[in-house]
Amino acid sequence: MNEPQPDPAQSPGPDQAAGPNQMPGPYLAPGPYAGGTAWPAGPPQPLPHPPPHPAAQPQWSYPGPYPGPYPGPYPWAPPPRTRWDVPPPPGTRYDRLARTPLHRWWRPIAGTVAIIAAFLALSIAVGLVAFVVSLVTGVPMVRSGTRLFADPVLDLGFQLGVIALLLPLVLGAAWLLQRRPPGSLSSVALRLRWRWLGACLLVALVAVVLGQAVEAGMLMSAGVDPGFRWAGWGEFLPAIIVILLLVPFQSAAEEYAYRGWIIQGFGAYLRNPWPAILVGAAAFAASHGYTGWGIVYVFAFGMLMGWLAVRTGGLEAPIALHATNNIVAFGVVAASGDMGSAMEQGAVPWEALIGSAVQFAIFGIGVLIIARKWAIQTLSR
């Protein structure tokens, strides 16, 4: 006997019964008996998803005998290295650059003692070297006064070289004992700003030449010989070579010591820079052998250099004027052929101070104008 068949028009089609991501259905399965009524095989089944790409599988697994996506050991990296030297915090003025997070009250004092002791030891060592050089070259030594050799050019070279030894000593004390970047002695940029130094050198050259001209005019008006002579190239060339090679280092060493180390040493304790500038200028004057008006000149020079260091945020301006002034002064002596008096320091006529005042005014004003136009950095970043 035939069973009634469902009307196809009233039965939902496969596409209508199937939901999204499902197999079409319902499916009719045979009943438990032959010729029995069919019933749905079950609810609609989802479509099988393709297996994930191997690249999407986790690349780690449990480090044991059991496979599976268990988390492995955490990645390990060595701890970051701690810097020996710590820079100053941002917004710090030049005279305060020694006050880093590692500053302690004893560090500037220990550094000063170490610099003095090392410089005295090196000075003795240089004296021994000079004795050996005298034996090898046959140049006699002078055992009176401050001179080492009878040859004035050789003596000048040794004298300038001894002073230049202050430079590595000061930089080394800043790094080793104060644990700060040695470049913090140079400027707030923690380095020597060469472009700014070049601009200061040009201003210094103009200031020194005009100051020397005014000084010579004042001396001649007072009946004093300014000492301008020409001894010839044979006398001039050996001396000027030594001057050009060593005077920049000698001048820089004095600036790093008196304007860098002393000013920043006091700045580690005091917020006002003027006591440090005053002490640095006094120490600078005391280290020279000038008398009378000469002391006034050297002290005023030190005050101006200290103020410019703080005002411009570095030693570029002081180094520029100091080196240019010394090269011109030694060059005038070398041209005259009287190198024996190159390191002599004593009385200075007051008329010479007029030329020095002109030099200071031109250099100070010129440097400040350029620094403002160039927006020279004056605080650490």
Side-chain angles (χ1 to χ4, degrees):
M1 182 175 184
N2 295 332
E3 296 291 336
Q5 300 296 324
D7 187 2
Q10 296 179 359
S11 300
D15 294 339
Q16 294 175 352
N21 298 328
Q22 292 180 352
M23 296 289 288
Y27 294 99
L28 299 179
Y33 54 89
T37 304
W39 60 81
Q45 302 298 316
L47 288 171
H49 293 282
H53 194 274
Q57 296 291 336
Q59 300 300 316
W60 38 261
S61 62
Y62 183 76
Y66 307 104
Y70 301 102
Y74 292 102
W76 180 87
R81 290 186 60 186
T82 303
R83 284 188 57 172
W84 171 262
D85 55 340
V86 176
T92 304
R93 202 173 54 207
Y94 176 77
D95 56 298
R96 301 274 292 171
L97 291 180
R99 194 172 181 85
T100 66
L102 293 181
H103 166 71
R104 301 295 182 269
W105 67 267
W106 53 268
R107 291 191 187 275
I109 299 174
T112 303
V113 173
I115 291 172
I116 295 174
F119 183 73
L120 292 177
L122 286 178
S123 299
I124 296 173
V126 169
L128 296 177
V129 172
F131 178 73
V132 174
V133 171
S134 176
L135 292 178
V136 173
T137 62
V139 179
M141 297 186 66
V142 178
R143 304 185 182 278
S144 61
T146 59
R147 294 184 59 179
L148 291 173
F149 294 98
D151 185 338
V153 176
L154 184 59
D155 181 74
L156 178 65
F158 263 85
Q159 298 278 5
L160 296 177
V162 170
I163 299 174
L165 291 175
L166 275 172
L167 186 56
L169 295 181
V170 172
L171 295 174
W175 181 80
L176 183 61
L177 296 175
Q178 291 187 321
R179 294 187 62 179
R180 60 184 174 114
S184 59
L185 283 163
S186 301
S187 73
V188 292
L190 307 185
R191 59 179 177 81
L192 204 61
R193 299 167 291 185
W194 292 101
R195 182 169 177 262
W196 173 234
L197 176 61
C200 293
L201 284 171
L202 293 177
V203 180
L205 183 61
V206 174
V208 170
V209 170
L210 292 179
Q212 286 282 337
V214 173
E215 179 180 339
M218 293 297 299
L219 290 176
M220 288 188 293
S221 65
V224 179
D225 182 11
F228 293 148
R229 296 181 184 84
W230 178 246
W233 290 104
E235 296 284 341
F236 179 72
L237 279 180
I240 198 62
I241 291 174
V242 172
I243 292 168
L244 291 175
L245 289 177
L246 295 179
V247 164
F249 295 100
Q250 168 261 327
S251 302
E254 291 186 359
E255 292 304 319
Y256 273 90
Y258 295 107
R259 254 65 69 183
W261 181 266
I262 291 180
I263 287 181
Q264 291 183 353
F266 277 85
Y269 307 104
L270 306 175
R271 293 185 178 274
N272 192 325
W274 284 107
I277 295 173
L278 181 65
V279 173
F284 181 66
S287 65
H288 291 72
Y290 289 103
T291 59
W293 292 106
I295 298 178
V296 176
Y297 160 71
V298 180
F299 181 79
F301 184 90
M303 290 292 292
L304 175 65
M305 297 300 98
W307 178 71
L308 285 177
V310 177
R311 183 66 178 78
T312 62
L315 294 178
E316 294 87 357
I319 291 174
L321 184 60
H322 199 156
T324 305
N325 180 78
N326 284 13
I327 288 175
V328 172
F330 283 129
V332 170
V333 176
S336 68
D338 187 19
M339 288 301 297
S341 63
M343 297 298 293
E344 291 181 2
Q345 300 171 348
V348 174
W350 70 268
E351 291 86 357
L353 298 183
I354 306 299
S356 300
V358 171
Q359 177 191 117
F360 296 165
I362 294 175
F363 183 75
I365 295 173
V367 163
L368 291 181
I369 291 175
I370 299 176
R372 180 173 299 178
K373 287 187 176 181
W374 287 13
I376 294 300
Q377 178 184 344
T378 58
L379 299 175
S380 63
R381 295 175 182 172

